[in-house]
Amino acid sequence: MNTETAHLPSQLDPVTFEVLKNSFITSVDQMAEQILRTCYSFVIYNRDFSSGLHDAQGNSVAQGNQDIAVHVGTLHFTCKAVIAAFENDIHPGDVYAINDPYAGGTHFNDVRLIRPIFMGDQLIGFSQSNGHWSDVGGSVPGSFDVTAREMFKEGLRITPVRLFSKGVFCKDIAHLIASNTRDPASIIGDIHSQSQATQVCEREIIRLCEKYGVDTVLEGMSAVQDYVERAARQRIQALPDGVWETQDFIDRDPMSGEGLIPIRVKLTIEGDKVSYDFSGSHPTIGSIYNSAFGSTFSAVAAGMKTFFPDLPLNSGFYRVFDVIAPENSIVNASWPVAVTGFLMPFEKIMNAIYEIWSQVMPERATACAFNLEYLLAGGKDKRHSSKPTFMFYDWLPGGWGGRNGKDGSNVTTASFGVGLMSQPVEGQERANPVLTTEFQILTDSAGPGKWRGGVGVVKTSIIGQAEDPVISYICDRERAIVWGVNGGLPSMPHGLTLTRKETGKREWLGSVFSDVALDQGDMFSRPTAGGGGFGDPLERDPEMVLEDVIDEYVSIARAAKDYGVVVVALDPEICKYHIDLEATEALRQEIRSKRKSWIRRDPSEVSEQYKQGEIDQLDVVRRYGVILDWGSGDLLPKTTRQFREMLELRTVSNW
């Protein structure tokens, strides 16, 4: 018998325990199926949602198999907030709504509907459906205004409110909420979709109670949490005690000039307990890129859970770790600090935790993954008079970091939530006056290493028949570029390029902007980075580099520059190439002898070479470790110093 299930409560036999454990998860998966079949929003249909089952105290009992990582670690907070708000006024047929980040949520777009589950007069639990509404009001379409310093520009804050009272739809409250968004009809549709999803879970739990008895089901809800806690503690107990520290960075504070914004993490393992201390992280910044405590907690849970992939996730897992997050810091923002862009610190926290746990469990080690990005374009769709407002809300896949003994995953949804789907362009074009002209794997986007990062993509779109369209872009790692470990090299900068139809001029807008006016025919293009490299790229098997060239993951030029592998094209049409082994050995020796001096070269000289077109962006980042304003080519001295410090620690010290 598995030792992790050997000490079950005597009144719950192992077979019944397993049946209930999996039934709880299935009940949540059934909620997801209901949402996929009934939701109104294209965003939610592409799985930007999650669901949860909770016990009567609001503790998480089960999540679904494809739920978004960022959501599930916060669902118990919002459930408990509803319980606290209504306490002795909870009835069968009630459904409550909440999106409050300061009460444990993520951001205002993630709206949760919570239904109490009763068996007769006994409250036995709650079902919860969380969906990302594509707009909740605020100053820009999509509700992502990067200039917001306080929440009042971000959209509608929903503290716990009753949307169904004893089964009766509170139409006035629902329409008040929907009327403060740019697409009220879809919001009302999604409210009913999410409500029905919670009812699906309710029916399944009641069915289990009728089959096994209420006491057995309640015991099962408690036992699955205890099981996960016990299993996690056993595994942590087997690891060495110690303290590990690292940091990752947000690109900038738009209100205070250039310079990376640090998020510091210290992991302490003592016996079967784990502590995460964020002391020393930067104070809140003057944009939406702040995280409230709930999001930070969720990032810790998701990052750590990656290294324990076989365990179910519920509140039992949360019991094994503590989070210390200083108030008024970028990882613990308080009302009314803007937090809609919380996903930027969220993914930095996750990657920092990946790095730390890679040292604790080197067999599962991984380099940095690409950063999730959101593109939002909105305005009036001149194609449809009946539904004039459109909201083009898009995200792209990218590359995950190289791993110990294996390349990173290619074209994969961000660590923010691998349950997300890559949106089909056909559906986007039907719903929005936006035409996609390019969506393909991006050659040379992967961070070079003995085990390279996964590759990213590039997507190009054109605004069609729209009136007064505007565009916003929410991203990061334009400057704190996706990093490699154990000698691996970085990936590439994120950022969007806009080409005006009227002038044909390409304009670099970067990774942080909101409410930029567009005209019909304007074209915008953005790449996603690949993952960081793992291990010294000069140790990569030349035959593997050749395969990457054949697959168009790596160009011939960068095979030489990054890997020191000389590939000769004999007949590219039939993928016929040849490795010049003698030239490869000579080139690798040359790179080994020079690369430490390259990485410490005067940054101002590198900037001038870039402006003159003598070197390209990847040379600047990978060979010289320099960060520039990618539009002007001007040096960012403080950012470069910080970036080089990271490179020295993670890459150069391993050469």
Side-chain angles (χ1 to χ4, degrees):
M1 181 182 293
N2 188 324
T3 58
E4 293 172 355
T5 61
H7 305 293
L8 294 172
S10 57
Q11 63 267 40
L12 195 65
D13 65 87
V15 173
T16 304
F17 169 81
E18 283 295 327
V19 170
L20 289 175
K21 174 168 70 75
N22 290 290
S23 294
F24 294 150
I25 296 172
T26 299
S27 72
V28 182
D29 282 337
Q30 289 177 352
M31 294 173 68
E33 292 302 316
Q34 176 73 14
I35 288 175
L36 288 171
R37 284 161 174 76
T38 60
C39 65
Y40 275 56
S41 299
F42 193 63
V43 170
I44 293 180
Y45 178 75
N46 284 280
R47 301 201 72 102
D48 197 348
F49 69 83
S50 58
S51 311
L53 171 66
H54 308 269
D55 63 21
Q57 292 73 46
N59 300 308
S60 174
V61 173
Q63 70 165 98
N65 284 305
Q66 260 190 278
D67 283 328
I68 305 303
V70 65
H71 296 161
V72 294
T74 66
L75 296 182
H76 65 295
F77 287 127
T78 45
C79 190
K80 289 174 182 290
V82 164
I83 294 172
F86 290 93
E87 201 166 0
N88 298 318
D89 190 21
I90 298 174
H91 310 282
D94 285 354
V95 177
Y96 311 95
I98 180 174
N99 75 344
D100 191 352
Y102 314 108
T106 48
H107 56 189
F108 299 108
N109 297 76
D110 287 337
V111 183
R112 292 100 191 276
L113 267 63
I114 300 171
R115 178 187 295 271
I117 302 173
F118 283 83
M119 192 66 182
D121 294 330
Q122 183 179 3
L123 175 65
I124 60 174
F126 294 85
S127 55
Q128 181 169 188
S129 170
N130 174 52
H132 182 113
W133 294 0
S134 58
D135 186 275
V136 287
S139 55
V140 300
S143 312
F144 282 73
D145 185 346
V146 298
T147 68
R149 304 183 69 174
E150 295 182 331
M151 59 146 286
F152 308 110
K153 295 177 69 175
E154 296 185 287
L156 187 65
R157 178 190 181 193
I158 306 171
T159 55
V161 62
R162 204 187 311 260
L163 283 184
F164 288 78
S165 179
K166 300 179 182 178
V168 178
F169 181 46
C170 301
K171 184 177 179 180
D172 53 347
I173 302 298
H175 282 260
L176 172 65
I177 292 172
S179 296
N180 280 278
T181 75
R182 291 172 174 83
D183 191 5
S186 292
I187 297 304
I188 294 297
D190 288 334
I191 285 174
H192 286 291
S193 174
Q194 291 179 245
S195 172
Q196 286 297 309
T198 62
Q199 196 169 36
V200 167
C201 182
E202 177 190 46
R203 287 198 299 264
E204 178 63 14
I205 298 305
I206 289 174
R207 185 189 69 80
L208 292 173
C209 289
E210 291 172 343
K211 181 176 182 179
Y212 293 99
V214 175
D215 291 342
T216 299
V217 171
L218 292 178
E219 180 60 41
M221 287 183 175
S222 176
V224 295
Q225 297 176 60
D226 294 342
Y227 157 74
V228 172
E229 177 186 8
R230 185 169 53 252
R233 289 194 186 280
Q234 287 178 3
R235 297 188 189 186
I236 293 167
Q237 181 78 54
L239 299 172
D241 287 356
V243 178
W244 296 263
E245 296 183 63
T246 192
Q247 64 180 341
D248 204 349
F249 296 89
I250 301 292
D251 279 349
R252 75 199 89 173
D253 181 346
M255 300 301 154
S256 63
E258 64 105 356
L260 303 179
I261 305 300
I263 296 175
R264 296 192 170 95
V265 188
K266 179 169 72 174
L267 168 70
T268 301
I269 297 178
E270 186 174 355
D272 64 355
K273 299 178 182 178
V274 176
S275 174
Y276 295 89
D277 188 348
F278 290 87
S279 298
S281 296
H282 198 277
T284 55
I285 62 176
S287 80
I288 63 175
Y289 290 5
N290 298 291
S291 174
F293 180 82
S295 299
T296 295
F297 181 93
S298 185
V300 169
M304 180 175 168
K305 175 66 170 61
T306 303
F307 287 79
F308 302 89
D310 58 310
L311 293 180
L313 184 60
N314 58 39
S315 286
F317 191 75
Y318 308 150
R319 298 173 191 165
V320 305
F321 64 84
D322 296 316
V323 177
I324 302 168
E327 292 185 4
N328 301 315
S329 69
I330 196 171
V331 294
N332 192 0
S334 302
W335 181 88
V337 172
V339 294
T340 295
F342 80 96
L343 58 133
M344 301 309 161
F346 181 95
E347 291 200 346
K348 307 308 182 301
I349 295 168
M350 283 194 72
N351 278 287
I353 289 173
Y354 289 168
E355 183 180 25
I356 289 174
W357 278 96
S358 292
Q359 298 172 46
V360 179
M361 302 170 67
E363 69 278 6
R364 300 192 63 86
T366 181
C368 182
F370 88 105
N371 203 98
L372 181 66
E373 44 88 72
Y374 285 151
L375 184 142
L376 305 101
K380 294 182 179 179
D381 189 345
K382 295 168 68 175
R383 304 173 304 168
H384 305 296
S385 58
S386 61
K387 191 176 184 293
T389 301
F390 79 92
M391 261 305 311
F392 178 71
Y393 174 43
D394 191 28
W395 59 78
L396 295 179
W400 281 50
R403 293 162 284 179
N404 186 358
K406 196 170 185 179
D407 292 339
S409 298
N410 299 319
V411 192
T412 303
T413 307
S415 55
F416 173 87
V418 293
L420 282 172
M421 292 175 61
S422 181
Q423 298 184 45
V425 297
E426 296 84 359
Q428 291 179 327
E429 291 172 350
R430 181 174 181 178
N432 306 281
V434 178
L435 176 68
T436 296
T437 60
E438 176 189 32
F439 189 11
Q440 63 180 4
I441 285 175
L442 182 59
T443 302
D444 293 328
S445 56
K450 181 177 181 179
W451 304 102
R452 62 158 175 78
V455 295
V457 300
V458 59
K459 187 172 185 177
T460 302
S461 304
I462 298 175
I463 286 288
Q465 301 174 55
E467 181 180 340
D468 299 326
V470 296
I471 189 172
S472 301
Y473 193 53
I474 314 303
C475 192
D476 206 56
R477 296 211 186 275
E478 177 186 353
R479 300 176 180 180
I481 297 167
V482 174
W483 34 265
V485 296
N486 291 26
L489 290 174
S491 173
M492 57 172 288
H494 279 143
L496 182 144
T497 301
L498 177 64
T499 303
R500 298 285 186 183
K501 180 182 179 182
E502 185 176 338
T503 63
K505 181 180 179 182
R506 289 169 55 86
E507 180 184 359
W508 173 264
L509 298 184
S511 63
V512 186
F513 61 86
S514 290
D515 211 25
V516 173
L518 297 176
D519 292 312
Q520 185 172 329
D522 287 351
M523 181 172 63
F524 48 90
S525 180
R526 85 265 196 202
T528 57
F534 186 102
D536 189 342
L538 298 186
E539 295 178 3
R540 186 168 177 82
D541 185 341
E543 291 293 335
M544 296 180 72
V545 177
L546 176 60
E547 286 300 315
D548 286 341
V549 170
I550 293 171
D551 291 335
E552 297 184 359
Y553 294 163
V554 176
S555 66
I556 289 178
R558 298 246 51 111
K561 288 184 177 182
D562 296 332
Y563 295 96
V565 175
V566 179
V567 177
V568 180
L570 301 178
D571 190 345
E573 288 295 319
I574 59 172
C575 296
K576 189 174 182 181
Y577 298 87
H578 168 70
I579 299 174
D580 187 330
L581 293 176
E582 184 176 342
T584 293
E585 181 59 34
L587 180 57
R588 284 186 161 183
Q589 289 181 4
E590 179 185 359
I591 292 174
R592 283 193 182 94
S593 67
K594 294 180 178 179
R595 59 183 176 177
K596 287 187 178 180
S597 62
W598 287 337
I599 212 77
R600 293 160 187 164
R601 189 178 173 191
D602 185 343
S604 60
E605 295 178 2
V606 176
S607 173
E608 287 303 314
Q609 275 195 287
Y610 178 75
K611 289 179 180 180
Q612 297 299 320
E614 298 172 9
I615 55 176
D616 63 21
Q617 188 183 69
L618 294 182
D619 294 330
V620 173
V621 171
R622 295 175 183 173
R623 178 161 286 191
Y624 301 108
V626 171
I627 304 298
L628 307 176
D629 178 314
W630 303 113
S632 66
D634 291 340
L635 176 67
L636 301 175
K638 181 179 179 182
T639 302
T640 293
R641 176 179 56 78
Q642 293 169 297
F643 184 71
R644 281 186 164 183
E645 288 173 357
M646 286 196 297
L647 273 179
E648 286 283 347
L649 181 64
R650 293 180 172 126
T651 299
V652 178
S653 64
N654 291 276
W655 287 345

